[in-house]
Amino acid sequence: MLSPDMNQALSKIETIALRKKHVSDVCTLFFKSDPLKIIRAAGQYMYDEAGHKYLDCMNNVAHVGHCHPAVVKAATDQNALLSTNSRFLHDNLSLLAHKLTSVFPEPLKVGIFCNSGSEANDLALRLARRFTQRHDAIVLDNAYHGHLVSLIPLSPYKFKQPGGEGPSDWVHVVPNPDTYRGKYQADVLGLERATDLYVDEVRKAFDDAEKKGRKVGIFYAESLQSCAGQIIHPPGYLRRAFEIARQRGALCVADEVQTGYGRTGTHMWAFEMQGARPDIVTIGKSMGNGHPVSALITTREIADCLAPIEYFNTCGGNPVSCAVALAVLDVCQKENFQQNAAVVGNFMLKELQVLKQKYSCIGDVRGMGLFIGIEMVYPGKKPATDLAAQLQAALRYKRILISVDGYDGNVVKIKPPMCFSMENAKTLLQHMNVELAKIEGHTLQAKL
């Protein structure tokens, strides 16, 4: 525990009061009833105004760890020299484009820089429509691709919610390949058959669109679905779905905003572990370790299709953002974070399977590397939304931070900074074991 910061401008109560007065309620907070006031962070730890230390198991944005010294230095040094728009020639943009595209397979060797994953996905839609001269898109159910007006229709995770605008006629939604609680379940059909049926749904979506006279120009897929509940696509699904889309004349987009930079432990990009070949890849979040920077990586032919219209983004690709992104890539490679994700993630997945056998409220454990989901259920796979929330709250008061997501809010998500250690994993598992025992005990008592 650190000493409380006595130099804060506001007390926690004052901060909450000022926020309520001047910030819209639609801008939500974690732990809304008793929000955490975080004033500093380092590595995989965050600190509140009283000096309490929290183990961060949820912050995939701080990819190489909060306030990594190399990233902070890169931002500070460049900010002291120059921060301007990308129409001025500067080494950082060229160096970042070179270094970033070097970790992508051919022919994905051209980058365009933006400020957020949403901007990158919006640009992907614009490029695909221009390149294919087709308007419509196919997306996976419960997908989330961003908060812009162009992207909410591509995000069933948002438009299906109460108060959402519902589906648009230009977006065709296919079942997401959830083999645990989705339309086709592996324990009923077998994994191979379930996968085949999910792939057939993509083919059917193209057929149905054509019957309606619609022309699909883009197939969007998160390489692994995060907001949908840490959905791990069955082997080969993405490769086969992309092949169908390409045969039908559509471009394929792999959204790596939440999954890239080695998080899966096996590959730099999650689409690679599926053997998939996207036409466009969008990245963000991890790219800047908390700094707003993103990119779209594609082929020269697709990137140049906007001509003669130019693409100009005032802050996209500015020298500071590029310096930060270069530092993040450098740290990822020098500190072997991908290997760490594999070792620590595999250990956690193995131990979580042990907890699954011990506690009936854990229906499924799934993941790759440091991208893990724990689905909480009642008998019959009924979503145990309340139990997931109870576990999140209980761990918070043990100063361990996890998140909960999925369309039914019943999936516990573990996606910490990549410096998350074996010792951190053991701490998380130990406290989860204790709190799950309490939760399951209370549930049984309630039934009696």
Side-chain angles (χ1 to χ4, degrees):
M1 178 173 174
L2 296 179
S3 299
D5 184 351
M6 306 306 293
N7 297 315
Q8 295 174 71
L10 303 169
S11 68
K12 180 176 176 178
I13 293 174
E14 290 170 331
T15 303
I16 292 171
L18 204 60
R19 181 185 175 100
K20 286 183 176 179
K21 183 176 181 180
H22 296 293
V23 179
S24 171
D25 288 341
V26 302
C27 301
T28 57
L29 289 164
F30 291 122
F31 313 108
K32 188 175 180 180
S33 63
D34 182 18
L36 284 173
K37 183 178 180 181
I38 298 296
I39 62 166
R40 65 176 293 264
Q44 60 273 51
Y45 300 103
M46 305 180 83
Y47 299 86
D48 67 15
E49 80 287 356
H52 298 126
K53 181 170 76 172
Y54 295 80
L55 177 60
D56 183 359
C57 307
M58 61 188 285
N59 212 323
N60 61 323
V61 178
H63 190 72
V64 299
H66 294 280
C67 303
H68 191 287
V71 179
V72 173
K73 185 176 189 304
T76 303
D77 288 354
Q78 183 56 56
N79 214 17
L81 288 173
L82 173 70
S83 180
T84 187
N85 72 63
S86 54
R87 283 185 173 180
F88 292 99
L89 187 65
H90 195 276
D91 289 351
N92 286 2
L93 188 148
S94 299
L95 289 169
L96 177 59
H98 172 70
K99 188 164 186 174
L100 187 57
T101 56
S102 74
V103 294
F104 278 90
E106 292 285 356
L108 302 171
K109 294 299 177 181
V110 178
I112 302 176
F113 298 106
C114 311
N115 303 292
S116 68
S118 292
E119 278 193 5
N121 278 323
D122 176 78
L123 179 58
L125 179 63
R126 181 180 172 189
L127 285 170
R129 284 177 169 172
R130 179 86 169 188
F131 189 82
T132 66
Q133 294 298 297
R134 298 178 178 188
H135 186 79
D136 286 19
I138 290 177
V139 299
L140 304 184
D141 199 7
N142 295 334
Y144 177 66
H145 293 291
H147 61 81
L148 301 181
V149 169
S150 61
L151 301 176
I152 293 298
L154 297 173
S155 303
Y157 174 80
K158 287 292 185 183
F159 74 64
K160 286 168 50 179
Q161 291 183 9
E165 297 180 1
S168 301
D169 59 1
W170 60 274
V171 178
H172 312 272
V173 180
V174 298
N176 61 323
D178 175 0
T179 57
Y180 173 65
R181 210 165 56 86
K183 184 175 182 178
Y184 306 115
Q185 299 176 15
D187 60 352
V188 176
L189 299 166
L191 182 60
E192 184 176 348
R193 177 60 177 157
T195 305
D196 289 344
L197 290 170
Y198 279 122
V199 172
D200 285 343
E201 291 281 355
V202 177
R203 188 178 292 109
K204 183 175 180 292
F206 276 98
D207 290 342
D208 290 346
E210 289 174 7
K211 289 175 184 176
K212 297 174 183 175
R214 312 288 311 195
K215 294 183 177 180
V216 176
I218 186 167
F219 177 78
Y220 265 96
E222 296 154 283
S223 299
L224 300 172
Q225 286 189 298
S226 182
C227 291
Q230 305 295 85
I231 303 300
I232 309 299
H233 304 320
Y237 168 81
L238 204 59
R239 173 183 57 79
R240 294 167 66 187
F242 278 6
E243 287 171 355
I244 291 168
R246 195 169 285 112
Q247 290 165 6
R248 298 299 187 95
L251 294 186
C252 302
V253 176
D255 183 337
E256 290 272 350
V257 171
Q258 300 219 50
T259 55
Y261 283 79
R263 179 159 291 277
T264 63
T266 57
H267 297 81
M268 184 68 168
W269 310 107
F271 70 80
E272 293 176 298
M273 71 183 195
Q274 284 271 319
R277 186 169 64 87
D279 300 294
I280 297 172
V281 181
T282 55
I283 55 180
K285 293 190 189 298
S286 304
M287 184 178 176
N289 209 53
H291 181 92
V293 59
S294 66
L296 177 149
I297 308 297
T298 187
T299 67
R300 170 65 64 185
E301 185 182 14
I302 294 170
D304 290 350
C305 75
L306 290 180
I309 300 171
E310 68 175 17
Y311 177 78
F312 171 59
N313 186 319
T314 301
C315 295
N318 73 76
V320 176
S321 294
C322 290
V324 168
L326 278 164
V328 170
L329 261 178
D330 190 52
V331 170
C332 281
Q333 293 167 344
K334 286 182 177 178
E335 300 191 19
N336 298 317
F337 281 141
Q338 182 175 314
Q339 182 182 4
N340 184 65
V343 173
V344 177
N346 288 342
F347 168 76
M348 281 203 292
L349 286 165
K350 180 181 177 182
E351 294 302 313
L352 286 168
Q353 289 291 347
V354 174
L355 293 183
K356 177 177 177 290
Q357 298 303 315
K358 188 174 180 180
Y359 301 110
S360 62
C361 61
I362 297 180
D364 192 36
V365 170
R366 49 184 178 258
M368 294 290 297
L370 290 176
F371 184 92
I372 296 172
I374 306 158
E375 185 144 7
M376 307 287 285
V377 296
Y378 288 114
K381 296 184 181 179
K382 180 182 177 183
T385 305
D386 57 334
L387 300 188
Q390 287 176 37
L391 180 59
Q392 181 189 33
L395 289 176
R396 175 258 173 93
Y397 288 108
K398 298 293 182 181
R399 301 195 182 120
I400 296 173
L401 305 179
I402 60 170
S403 60
V404 172
D405 217 330
Y407 186 74
D408 293 305
N410 69 315
V411 180
V412 173
K413 295 167 64 171
I414 301 172
K415 45 188 183 68
M418 295 282 277
C419 52
F420 199 77
S421 69
M422 191 70 78
E423 200 61 39
N424 297 147
K426 291 175 181 177
T427 297
L428 171 61
L429 290 162
Q430 176 187 352
H431 285 285
M432 282 189 69
N433 182 34
V434 172
E435 299 307 326
L436 284 166
K438 294 177 184 176
I439 288 171
E440 194 140 289
H442 291 156
T443 303
L444 289 172
Q445 285 181 351
K447 288 181 179 178
L448 295 175

